[in-house]
Amino acid sequence: MSSLSTESTPRERLDRAISVLGRVRMYWRGMAALIAVGLSISLALALATKRVWRSEATILYRETIQTGRDPQSSTARAARLGPKLKDTLIARGTLAGVIEAFGLYPEKTARSMVEAVEEMKSHVGFRAQSSDTYVISFTHDDPLVAQQVAARLTQILIDDYRRDSLGAATMTRDFLRRELAEASAKVDEASRALATFLAKNPQFQWGLNDSPYAPAPQPLGSPGAPAPAAARASPPPRAMDPQLAALERQLARVEALLGVARSPAAAPGQPLPPSVVDAQRARDAAAAALVSAEAALAEKLSTVTSIHPDAIAAKRRVEAARSQLAAAESALKLVRAGLTEVPRGEAGELTPSRRAALSAERSALLRQIAGLRARAGGRAAAVDEPRRAPAGPGPDPEERVIELETEWHRLRLDLERAREYLKAVQANERAADLSADAAENKSETELDVLDPAYLPSRPDRGRGRVFFAGAAVTFFFALGVAGARVLLNDTLYDGGDIHALGGPALLAAMPELPPQPPLRERAIVPAYGAAPAAAPEDGGERPSERAGPAPGQPGSAEQPGQPGSAEQPGQPGSAEPGQPGFAEGEEDTLPDGLELDGDAGPGPSWSAPEPAWSAAEEAWSAPEPASGAPGGSLACVGTRHLAYAGGAGFREPEVEILGADVDPEGYGVFELLRGAPASALAALRVLRHRLDQRRGGEPLTVAVVSPGRAEGKTAVAARLAMTLAEAERARVLLVEGHLARPRVAATLGLRLPAHASFSEQLRRRMVGEARPLGVIALSPSLSVLAEPSLEASYPAALHSIHFEAAMRALRRYYDYVVLDGPPVLGSGDANVIEDACDGVLVVARASVTRASSLTRAVEQLGDRRILGVVLNDVAARPVARKRICIDGEPVRPSC
């Protein structure tokens, strides 16, 4: 089975927000008062305000010569330039000079120039109008002064900017000139270092176009072609004496023979390459062939095994390439030694003795060369000797080559970096020269006046603006105050406020009823002529001891048409025509439970309900009231005992009817429902439906209470009792439960006899008198048990055990017992009522009851027997009501 969701939808939340905002209208009087006060203050300020005139000047930033030094966009330039111009404009020195020139603010200037400057800052305006235009404004009470000061501030700003731009451009140019000089010096230093290295190592050369003195590049192999880097590693031939040259040639021949002996691939008599370049090229080709053969071998081994024929062939090619590389290296050494072919007869005869002899010869040659160099005084011998002696200490020739190459590249890199830096500095210096020249000639970037300062024709802040600004502030302030009052107000206005509390459920919302005059006071038709005698302790006789049936009662000898007969017009049981009644807004029907007999007279006709027993019925006789008695000519209505307390053997009943309400001129108590809107009747019937569901076919005692006074609980209880008894669907008894301040009889317009007082009857039971509870019949299905006056005879009877016993007895003989209970807060009477009832209805009056009061009342009662909340007097629009006090008691006329 599906169930409805209890969560509110967005539409409901929106409606709730609109409803809450609509409550601002409740405080229209306060808003009107605030608005009136605010408008008065605004008007006073407007009359006392001096007129202020504003003059503005627009300046334009433009860049005429593009030097490339400012790649920023116009937006970025405006964001950078705007704050700078503003700071320049409002500088203390600038404003102080303007104040002295125009004699502004003499009073503040006499005290302190700082105060005058601060005052002027509040009147000077600066804003960026677009990316390249700025607006300068000044306000003053004299329009001519405002124009002159605005023009003066504009000119000062332009002059300061130009002066700052010229100074910055000049400083930048001077700085870049110094940078250019330093960069040129670094290029010269790098060039000198590279030239010095080349002078010491002529095997290195300049690159193309590096120097006009650099040797032109020649094809490899030509006689004038320079040797490659590997060949240039050996020292170049020096100009020396013939003896030293012969010794060096002989030393090279010996070293070549030793090298050829270690190279088995060199064949005797084989011609050598014609030059070192060819030998080096052959050696490089052999090395490349070896690398290719090794790569081919690795590729084969990745796919086949080492014993595969293809792998074996690849290995052989690698070995052949290695032999060729060894032969090429031996040939390169021989060519470098100056030989043109491999010496014959020596390569294969290099025995150990021959090798030893050649080594000894080599050592002797080295010593002779070293001696000659030492005698020559050169330090080359000390350098060459370690280089040529393989066993002696000193750096390896290969390391020497590496050091030379590294130094060469470093010097070249330093020179290139110095040249690049020089180019950049030259470009910047050229741009700086252009900027400085443009700044000096006022042609690069400048601020020009686009719109000069004008003479204002209308005041910028006049009296009208002050008044309208004050009026706007006043309106929003009043609206804010009203909104704050709405948010801080915890008064209940509608069902949404009840749901927001999260407490007892809202059972029904009674709409606001149109105001009705109080019901006309009526006297009831008694069941006997005189009040019962005094209590037994006073010696009085009981009414039950009287003999003879009363006129109009069962057993009476009166016939229709006789005086005092029930058939007379206006009496119960007569066939008088009925009066117009109500039925959900209809004017020509009677309340449910009343019947009309065709064209009968103006009084309602109804018969008392049949008693619960007939054999042992007793009647109290009473004479017919005088013709001048209140309520008109009324016939006596016989008392009917409703039931025995305990079967046929017990002769004394527990409840009896003391009289009836007969209103020949109106509708009786049902005037409270006459003319009620359909929404009010619907709410009462919904509440009746909920109580029927709670009753479940068993008698139900319901107490109607409220958190405080003047919340309409008595009217709700009376209307609820009438609705429960509608169409004689249930027997209903309305009981006065607020004995401290009884209001039921006054609300119903009843003038009850003193002996019908509920508290008095309880008092008699407390003193031991066993008398049935006497009730007043209002209709065949509705009775009332109330107090005859606005003060109970014995209010303390509510707290006796006889009150609870009486409620139990009444519950046995009525389907519904509705108690008009007391207010919850301020006393404990409501808790006594709660213990004696099956359920409690809490009545809250819209626009009067506070949420805090309802919450405290619910907390005091507890949720054991609370059936729910009935919101009374709900207005179509939220209104702020005031409690009406009569005789010092807060009441409401409709209650």
Side-chain angles (χ1 to χ4, degrees), residues 442-739:
K442 300 180 182 180
S443 59
E444 180 205 10
T445 56
E446 60 180 5
L447 292 177
D448 289 338
V449 177
L450 185 62
D451 291 328
Y454 57 85
L455 181 65
S457 59
R458 293 189 304 175
D460 180 68
R461 188 174 69 244
R463 296 175 180 178
R465 293 190 178 184
V466 173
F467 176 76
F468 286 117
V473 172
T474 299
F475 175 77
F476 286 109
F477 177 75
L479 188 62
V481 170
R485 293 181 65 182
V486 170
L487 295 178
L488 297 177
N489 186 11
D490 65 340
T491 304
L492 302 176
Y493 293 98
D494 53 23
D497 296 331
I498 302 295
H499 293 303
L501 293 178
L506 177 65
L507 298 182
M510 285 290 297
E512 184 180 15
L513 299 178
Q516 292 178 333
L519 297 182
R520 180 175 51 85
E521 187 178 19
R522 305 173 311 280
I524 66 168
V525 177
Y528 42 82
E537 60 270 14
D538 297 335
E541 72 174 325
R542 299 175 180 272
S544 60
E545 296 175 357
R546 301 188 182 192
Q553 298 298 325
S556 173
E558 294 186 63
Q559 299 297 327
Q562 296 179 358
S565 172
E567 298 293 328
Q568 293 182 357
Q571 302 302 322
S574 65
E576 294 294 328
Q579 297 291 338
F582 80 95
E584 298 187 10
E586 297 183 4
E587 294 292 338
D588 297 329
T589 59
L590 283 177
D592 294 335
L594 300 183
E595 298 178 358
L596 288 177
D597 294 335
D599 298 330
S605 175
W606 57 274
S607 59
E610 292 296 329
W613 57 280
S614 60
E617 182 180 14
E618 293 185 359
W620 294 344
S621 60
E624 181 181 357
S627 59
S633 177
L634 300 176
C636 296
V637 177
T639 301
R640 296 185 183 273
H641 301 296
L642 297 182
Y644 281 117
F650 187 80
R651 300 293 298 173
E652 188 70 25
E654 288 187 293
V655 180
E656 64 182 1
I657 297 178
L658 300 180
D661 174 33
V662 178
D663 186 8
E665 301 179 4
Y667 300 92
V669 296
F670 291 95
E671 282 285 347
L672 290 176
L673 289 178
R674 183 171 179 265
S679 57
L681 298 176
L684 289 172
R685 287 166 181 167
V686 168
L687 183 58
R688 181 185 68 190
H689 173 69
R690 294 181 182 273
L691 294 180
D692 286 341
Q693 288 181 331
R694 178 62 181 266
R695 183 168 73 95
E698 297 293 331
L700 182 66
T701 304
V702 179
V704 180
V705 299
S706 61
R709 301 175 184 175
E711 298 188 10
K713 60 177 179 56
T714 302
V716 171
R719 292 187 176 98
L720 176 61
M722 297 175 192
T723 307
L724 292 173
E726 186 179 15
E728 299 185 14
R729 59 182 293 128
R731 294 173 299 174
V732 182
L733 176 64
L734 177 61
V735 180
E736 177 69 77
H738 189 194
L739 299 182

Side-chain angles (χ1 to χ4, degrees), residues 317-578:
R317 285 194 293 272
V318 170
E319 293 176 356
R322 289 176 179 172
S323 300
Q324 292 178 2
L325 179 61
E329 291 178 350
S330 300
L332 178 61
K333 292 181 179 180
L334 293 175
V335 171
R336 288 179 176 175
L339 300 179
T340 58
E341 62 179 9
V342 179
R344 297 178 177 273
E346 294 182 357
E349 299 176 357
L350 191 59
T351 61
S353 59
R354 178 61 178 168
R355 183 183 299 277
L358 290 175
S359 299
E361 184 179 359
R362 178 177 177 275
S363 300
L365 291 174
L366 289 175
R367 286 194 296 271
Q368 293 178 6
I369 292 173
L372 291 175
R373 290 178 177 176
R375 286 194 299 270
R379 288 183 292 177
V383 176
D384 293 340
E385 180 64 24
R387 180 182 61 82
R388 294 182 179 276
D396 188 59
E398 295 181 358
E399 294 181 0
R400 176 62 179 171
V401 171
I402 293 173
E403 291 178 359
L404 291 175
E405 291 285 348
T406 303
E407 182 68 15
W408 160 253
H409 288 292
R410 184 184 65 80
L411 294 175
R412 287 292 303 273
L413 184 60
D414 291 344
L415 180 59
E416 292 176 0
R417 289 176 177 175
R419 287 177 176 176
E420 292 177 359
Y421 180 70
L422 177 61
K423 292 179 181 179
V425 173
Q426 286 176 346
N428 293 337
E429 192 269 342
R430 189 178 300 107
D433 286 340
L434 292 176
S435 298
D437 295 340
E440 292 176 355
N441 298 327
K442 300 180 182 180
S443 59
E444 180 205 10
T445 56
E446 60 180 5
L447 292 177
D448 289 338
V449 177
L450 185 62
D451 291 328
Y454 57 85
L455 181 65
S457 59
R458 293 189 304 175
D460 180 68
R461 188 174 69 244
R463 296 175 180 178
R465 293 190 178 184
V466 173
F467 176 76
F468 286 117
V473 172
T474 299
F475 175 77
F476 286 109
F477 177 75
L479 188 62
V481 170
R485 293 181 65 182
V486 170
L487 295 178
L488 297 177
N489 186 11
D490 65 340
T491 304
L492 302 176
Y493 293 98
D494 53 23
D497 296 331
I498 302 295
H499 293 303
L501 293 178
L506 177 65
L507 298 182
M510 285 290 297
E512 184 180 15
L513 299 178
Q516 292 178 333
L519 297 182
R520 180 175 51 85
E521 187 178 19
R522 305 173 311 280
I524 66 168
V525 177
Y528 42 82
E537 60 270 14
D538 297 335
E541 72 174 325
R542 299 175 180 272
S544 60
E545 296 175 357
R546 301 188 182 192
Q553 298 298 325
S556 173
E558 294 186 63
Q559 299 297 327
Q562 296 179 358
S565 172
E567 298 293 328
Q568 293 182 357
Q571 302 302 322
S574 65
E576 294 294 328

Side-chain angles (χ1 to χ4, degrees), residues 753-770:
H755 60 272
S757 171
F758 183 33
S759 63
E760 181 63 26
Q761 297 183 53
L762 293 178
R763 175 61 176 168
R764 291 173 184 174
R765 291 194 172 206
M766 292 172 61
V767 299
E769 181 181 354

